[in-house]
Amino acid sequence: MNTSNKFTFSRLIFAPALFVIYNIPVWLKAENGSALSIATVCAAIPLLAIAELTDFFDGYYARKNGEVSDFGKMFDPFADVFLHLSMFTCFVISGYMPALCYVLILYREFSQNFLRMAAAKQGTAIAARKGGKIKTVFYVASCFAALVQEALVRTSLAEAWNINMELCRHIGYGFFAVCVILSYASFIDYLKTFGSVFKKSAQ
């Protein structure tokens, strides 16, 4: 496995690790302000940041080392979705992400994955386009917006600082709503750009 794909693969490791770390206090019913609650959220934030940085490094080393490949073009967005859907699941359970937004994004990502497979059957590897990259940026921003909210709750800082968490939650909902809009806008762009490839696959 080359360097760029190793960075991509690391996101497949970070995803379940972050899911477990985030949910340990929930499963053990740890109280907010407890050492476990604080430790897990303090670990989750930098780990998520590192996981997201691997998305930059895989592209950087792919270009630098001439490792750009059809496999990498499909592996990279797959790892992104794997990580983000893992985090979105956490946030739906915690109430920071509306279930409707989650389901719509889930439908979009599965549909996009099907289109990539159909295109690959015709010998075309669909790399991330500009719209898809912008969508991913908002996925990342929404993850951190929700994770910061959870950090405020678990550390009891929301109560200590008298932060209006209901307002924060609705702002977070706005982030996820934008994610849905951008995800479907980029999906339509893929359909328009690779429509002829998809038609051949269906014949």
Side-chain angles (χ1 to χ4, degrees), residues 23-188:
N23 285 293
I24 284 176
V26 179
W27 297 332
L28 298 180
K29 299 184 184 329
E31 294 183 359
N32 293 326
S34 67
L36 181 60
S37 292
I38 294 173
T40 50
V41 78
C42 286
I45 292 175
L47 283 176
L48 179 59
I50 294 170
E52 298 294 359
L53 279 174
T54 65
D55 192 23
F56 165 78
F57 286 119
D58 63 15
Y60 172 79
Y61 281 103
R63 293 185 294 271
K64 179 182 178 181
N65 299 338
E67 297 172 351
V68 177
S69 65
D70 287 345
F71 175 79
K73 290 177 182 178
M74 294 187 290
F75 192 31
D76 177 55
F78 169 76
D80 286 344
V81 171
F82 196 82
L83 173 63
H84 294 139
L85 287 183
S86 296
M87 296 307 301
F88 289 169
T89 302
C90 294
F91 301 141
V92 170
I93 294 172
S94 299
Y96 297 116
M97 181 180 189
L100 177 61
C101 290
Y102 177 78
V103 170
L104 289 174
I105 288 175
L106 192 68
Y107 288 165
R108 184 273 184 193
E109 296 300 346
F110 272 95
S111 299
Q112 179 69 19
N113 187 53
F114 173 78
L115 295 181
R116 290 185 190 279
M117 290 189 295
K121 183 180 178 182
Q122 297 298 316
T124 301
I126 300 179
R129 290 173 58 79
K130 185 177 180 180
K133 292 178 180 179
I134 294 173
K135 175 266 298 181
T136 299
V137 169
F138 271 85
Y139 278 15
V140 175
S142 298
C143 282
F144 278 106
L147 193 53
V148 167
Q149 290 182 71
E150 182 66 4
L152 290 171
V153 172
R154 290 192 185 184
T155 58
S156 298
L157 289 176
E159 184 177 352
W161 294 347
N162 197 28
I163 296 174
N164 187 338
M165 292 305 299
E166 189 64 24
L167 175 60
C168 291
R169 192 178 297 266
H170 281 88
I171 292 173
Y173 288 170
F175 272 88
F176 287 116
V178 172
C179 286
V180 172
I181 294 170
L182 292 177
S183 68
Y184 278 88
S186 67
F187 183 64
I188 292 171

